[in-house]
């Protein structure tokens, strides 16, 4: 029996070892506990052996390692079997096979069924034993372990014998007995011989029985299995008894009893009753604890599952709400977007309308003022000519009034035109290298006369740290100074007008300058300080009547300063005077005086005898300009269109060409451009009532040498002509 056990166990372990890496024994605690359990069996310390087997089961269970738990249970079953506690062994093996049945068929599984069969054999429950042996055989056949199948056959033989089915049993035993002697098979062979001896005893063939039993005892001597020996001795005693050999019967019986006693003593030593009871109690307690623990774990798992469900529901609800609000938001956003789009297109239309209106207004103003300038040229020109021709003293007054009115109208138109240009954004800052000190000295020079009229002192104070040359827009700066100083001199009598320039900041590249125009004149009332900068705003009607003016000067000044990046401020007290101040920044320039050296003064004697070609389509303007030209001893030829003018310049030599810009057919700019393709020397001066789209720079770019704005100021007219004629080509 033991032999079978050992072989099957070996086969099972071998099958396992094939699948497991060797080093797992060290780290696997189940294997470690089982090793300890086996060791304690060897030292007959079954109490510890049971403990360690149970520890192996617990550990495997906690690790949820089904295979290890099944194996450890079978080990426990094996210990019970050894201790002949067959009911406990059956329990353990049942647990083991229940676990193995959840896995692939294995040698261990087959071994458990085999063990169960043995347990039932011991309990003489042959039906259950057979059923388990059959299950074991099915498994061993499936996993192909033929040796095990042969051993199972032997068990079957024993089973048949036990059931009294000797016919089936005998061939099985004979087959084993016929096998050659081999140490591995001694126990089985001894068993088969013993079984045959028993059968012969039952069959009352005592001599045959004696034969089988003697051979069995002889083989048993080799395998030293005391249990097997004990039963052989008993059978031998029975055989001799039947043969009436009392002496031998008694001898073997005595030997049998002696061996039985020593075996009983050994068995009682294996495990004391108290130890067994204690172990069983512990086992029960453990089972209860385990059930309790599993119950708690289950409850815990249930709680966690419940919590997860609640959280999931909450999450889904939140997500749904979020999606809903996003959806609603989206709808609202789409609606507002639509609304905004509509508003935007409305605004766009309104803006386009406003721009159109503004453009129309600007064009209207431009056209009107341009159209006004042409007749005004006639009025001013003829007035000038009449005044030149020694009129009667009685006519003098009328002519002077006419001159004043003409000049007023001219200033007015010019200023309207200027504001119009600024507002239509046609004005940009220029960046030209200029001499600030020279610019101020020229202004001071030209306003000297005006200062004298009201008996004012007029001075300019310039901070010496201000660089001579700056880069900026001298034309606009002159316009600003002329307007502000003009006002200061106009509204001050017997007083003082000062222009002060101070450095705010200065570095290698830039400077910021503080400008102040201070007067000791009539001042401006507090409530008017803001409004004086608005168009057509004057201090009062009385002031307008007394001092004249259009109410547009400060508007222009304010806008020009803003274009140049500054802001105008005003401090004033009625009766004490006014101060206008502003800051402007400039890049520092360099001396270019050698390039631009030109005198403001002129000598009109250079004009005498010069040959002039005047291109002008308006008959009155032809007459006036021709007269003004001839007054200075020049010879004037008149042509009324650009095409003829080009031919004339090609075929004649002129000292000067006065080219009206607006002509029928090709205009003055194109005519000049064409002339410049074959003649770069002849001086050409443009005559224009500058409109919205024209400016001095634009006209010069066509090849003009200078520009005269209609209506002509006679002084300006002769100065430009003299300077142009004297300039070297
Ligand atoms: P105007 O052509 O009438 O001078 P401005 O726009 O230059 O137009 O000035 C508007 C008004 O501001 C003037 O009519 C005047 O009442 C007041 N004003 C401007 N400068 C001075 C000043 N230096 N002293 C007193 N009043 C001034």
């Amino acid at each position: 029996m033991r032999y079978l056990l050992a072989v099957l166990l070996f086969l099972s372990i071998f099958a396992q070892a094939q699948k497991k890496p060797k080093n797992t024994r060290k780290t696997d605690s189940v294997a470690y506990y089982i090793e300890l359990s086996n060791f304690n069996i060897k030292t007959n310390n079954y109490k510890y052996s049971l403990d360690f087997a149970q520890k192996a089961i617990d550990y495997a269970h906690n690790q949820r390692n089904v295979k290890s738990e099944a194996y450890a249970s079978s080990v426990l079953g094996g210990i019970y079997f050894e201790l002949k506690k067959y009911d406990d062994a059956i329990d353990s093996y049942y647990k083991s096979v229940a676990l193995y049945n959840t896995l692939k068929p294995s040698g261990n599984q087959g071994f458990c069924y085999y063990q169960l069969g043995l347990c039932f054999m011991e309990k003489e429950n042959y039906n259950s034993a057979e059923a388990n042996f059959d299950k074991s055989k099915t498994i061993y056949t499936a996993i192909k372990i033929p040796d095990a199948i042969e051993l199972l056959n032997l068990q079957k033989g024993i089973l048949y014998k036990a059931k009294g089915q000797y016919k089936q049993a005998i061939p099985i035993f004979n087959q084993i007995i016929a096998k050659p002697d081999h140490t591995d098979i001694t126990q089985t062979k001894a068993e088969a011989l013993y079984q045959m001896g028993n059968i012969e005893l039952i069959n009352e063939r005592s001599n045959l029985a004696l034969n089988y039993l003697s051979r069995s005892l002889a083989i048993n001597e080799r395998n030293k299995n005391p249990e097997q020996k004990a039963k052989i001795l008993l059978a031998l005693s029975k055989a001799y008894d039947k043969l009436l050999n009392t002496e031998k019967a008694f001898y073997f019986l005595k030997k049998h009893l002696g061996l039985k006693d020593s075996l009983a003593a050994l068995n009682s030593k294996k495990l004391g009753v108290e130890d067994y009871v204690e172990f069983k109690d512990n086992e029960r307690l453990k089972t209860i604890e385990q059930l309790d623990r599993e119950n708690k774990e289950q409850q815990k798992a249930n709680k966690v599952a419940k919590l997860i469900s609640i959280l999931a529901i909450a999450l889904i609800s939140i997500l749904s709400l979020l999606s809903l609000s996003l959806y609603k938001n989206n709808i609202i956003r789409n609606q507002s977007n639509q609304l905004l789009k509509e508003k935007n297109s409305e605004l766009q239309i309104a803006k386009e309308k406003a721009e159109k209106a503004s453009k129309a207004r600007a064009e209207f103003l431009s056209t009107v003022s341009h159209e006004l300038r042409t007749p005004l040229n006639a009025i001013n020109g003829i007035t000038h000519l009449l005044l030149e021709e020694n009129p009667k003293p009685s006519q003098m007054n009328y002519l002077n009034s006419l001159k004043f009115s003409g000049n007023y109208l001219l200033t007015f138109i010019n200023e309207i035109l200027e504001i119009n240009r600024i507002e239509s954004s046609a004005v940009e800052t220029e960046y030209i290298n200029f001499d600030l000190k020279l610019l101020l000295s020229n202004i001071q020079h030209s306003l000297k006369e005006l200062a004298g009229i009201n008996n004012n002192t007029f001075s300019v104070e310039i901070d010496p740290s201000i660089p001579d040359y700056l880069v900026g827009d001298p034309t606009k700066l002159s316009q600003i100074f002329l307007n502000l100083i003009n006002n200061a001199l106009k509204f001050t009598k017997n007083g003082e007008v000062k222009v002060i320039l101070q450095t705010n900041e200065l570095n290698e590249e830039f400077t910021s300058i503080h400008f102040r125009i201070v007067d000791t004149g009539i001042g401006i009332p507090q409530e008017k300080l803001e409004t004086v900068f608005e168009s057509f705003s004057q201090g009062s009607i009385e002031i307008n009547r007394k001092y004249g003016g259009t109410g547009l000067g400060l508007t222009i000044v304010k806008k020009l300063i803003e274009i140049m990046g500054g802001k105008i401020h005003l401090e004033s007290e009625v009766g004490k005077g006014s101060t206008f101040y502003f800051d402007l920044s400039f890049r520092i320039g360099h001396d270019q005086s050698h390039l631009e050296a030109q005198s403001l003064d002129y000598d009109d004697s250079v004009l005498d005898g010069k040959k002039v070609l005047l291109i002008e389509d308006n008959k009155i303007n032809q007459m006036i300009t021709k007269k003004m030209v001839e007054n200075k001893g020049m010879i004037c030829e008149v042509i009324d269109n650009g095409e003829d003018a080009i031919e004339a310049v090609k075929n004649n030599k002129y000292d000067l060409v006065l080219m009206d810009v607006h002509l029928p057919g090709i205009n003055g700019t194109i005519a000049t451009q064409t002339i410049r393709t074959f003649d770069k020397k002849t001086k050409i001066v443009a005559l224009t009532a500058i409109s919205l789209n024209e400016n001095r720079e634009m006209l010069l770019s066509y090849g003009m040498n200078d520009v005269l704005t209609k209506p002509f100021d006679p002084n300006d007219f002769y100065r430009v002509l003299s300077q142009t004629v004297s300039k070297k080509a």
Side-chain angles (χ1 to χ4, degrees), residues 531-588:
T531 51
V532 288
F533 294 105
E534 287 166 15
S535 295
F536 307 108
S537 154
Q538 292 185 313
S540 65
I541 299 161
E542 296 77 44
I543 285 173
N544 186 20
R545 284 204 196 114
K546 190 173 169 193
Y547 297 94
T550 58
L552 290 171
L554 285 182
T555 313
I556 294 172
V557 166
K558 183 174 181 257
K559 289 184 191 227
L560 287 178
I561 289 175
E562 279 166 8
I563 287 174
M564 291 173 77
K567 189 173 190 305
I568 189 155
H569 301 274
L570 163 61
E571 282 168 10
S572 186
E573 211 177 308
V574 175
K576 287 206 169 161
S578 314
T579 302
F580 289 86
Y581 60 93
F582 53 94
D583 294 328
L584 289 176
S585 295
F586 299 92
R587 204 139 54 82
I588 293 167

Side-chain angles (χ1 to χ4, degrees), residues 343-544:
K343 286 278 161 219
N344 251 355
S345 59
E346 275 172 23
L347 279 175
Q348 190 67 29
I349 293 166
K351 185 180 164 240
E352 277 165 19
K353 270 187 188 164
E355 275 173 3
K356 261 188 200 160
S358 161
K359 206 171 161 209
R361 187 188 69 126
E363 272 166 13
F364 170 75
L365 279 174
S366 172
T367 318
V368 167
S369 30
H370 188 258
E371 289 309 311
L372 282 173
R373 277 183 184 208
T374 313
L376 197 57
N377 195 27
I379 297 167
N380 280 3
I382 293 170
T383 310
H384 172 75
L385 291 177
L386 287 175
L387 279 168
E388 292 266 291
E389 285 179 5
N390 297 325
K392 286 184 206 155
S394 58
Q395 290 170 332
M396 223 20 199
N397 261 345
Y398 297 129
L399 286 175
N400 274 333
S401 284
L402 194 61
K403 186 182 172 188
F404 175 82
S405 301
N407 279 340
Y408 174 80
L409 203 55
L410 181 63
T411 319
F412 187 72
I413 290 169
N414 279 345
E415 284 180 350
I416 285 192
L417 211 65
E418 185 66 19
I419 289 174
N420 201 25
R421 259 158 47 87
I422 293 171
E423 282 180 353
S424 68
S425 307
V427 175
E428 279 176 16
T429 321
E430 289 182 323
Y431 295 95
I432 300 168
N433 197 62
F434 73 101
D435 183 341
L436 179 64
K437 288 168 189 168
L438 180 67
L439 182 139
L440 275 165
S441 115
N442 284 340
I443 289 172
Q444 194 178 15
H445 186 78
S446 57
L447 293 175
K448 218 194 287 173
E449 208 178 318
L450 186 64
I453 293 172
N454 280 342
N455 195 27
N456 290 323
T457 57
F458 174 32
S459 60
V460 177
E461 286 174 22
I462 301 179
D463 187 335
S465 71
I466 292 175
D468 287 345
Y469 293 94
L470 301 172
V471 176
D473 195 329
T475 318
K476 291 191 181 68
L477 206 57
S478 304
Q479 254 177 300
I480 293 164
F481 282 134
L482 279 173
N483 265 301
L484 291 176
I485 300 167
N486 209 29
N487 276 347
L489 290 172
K490 190 164 79 175
F491 295 110
T492 309
K493 276 206 169 74
N494 305 320
E496 201 182 352
V497 172
K498 252 196 250 173
V499 175
I500 303 164
L501 271 68
Q502 284 165 339
T503 309
N504 280 332
E505 254 181 76
L506 175 67
N507 61 34
E508 275 181 14
E509 279 189 61
F510 288 95
T511 180
S512 161
I513 301 172
H514 178 72
F515 298 88
R516 293 176 87 78
I517 291 89
V518 189
D519 68 55
T520 54
I522 59 167
I524 301 167
Q526 209 62 23
E527 69 276 7
K528 293 273 174 187
L529 288 182
E530 282 299 320
T531 51
V532 288
F533 294 105
E534 287 166 15
S535 295
F536 307 108
S537 154
Q538 292 185 313
S540 65
I541 299 161
E542 296 77 44
I543 285 173
N544 186 20

Side-chain angles (χ1 to χ4, degrees), residues 1-13 111 114-115 151 184 187:
M1 195 77 83
R2 271 203 171 186
Y3 164 74
L4 286 175
L5 222 144
V7 171
L8 285 176
L9 202 62
F10 167 76
L11 286 170
S12 308
I13 289 168
F111 176 69
Y114 173 79
Q115 285 293 102
L151 293 167
D184 283 353
Q187 199 172 334

Side-chain angles (χ1 to χ4, degrees), residues 10 73 87 100 213 291 340 458 597 623 661 706:
F10 167 76
S73 294
D87 288 331
Y100 275 128
L213 293 170
L291 277 175
L340 273 176
F458 174 32
M623 184 264 285
V661 173
D706 213 328

Side-chain angles (χ1 to χ4, degrees), residues 316-329:
I316 290 168
S317 312
I318 291 169
L319 282 176
S320 311
L321 283 173
L322 213 71
S323 319
L324 194 75
S325 71
L326 275 177
Y327 175 71
K328 277 195 169 174
N329 258 358

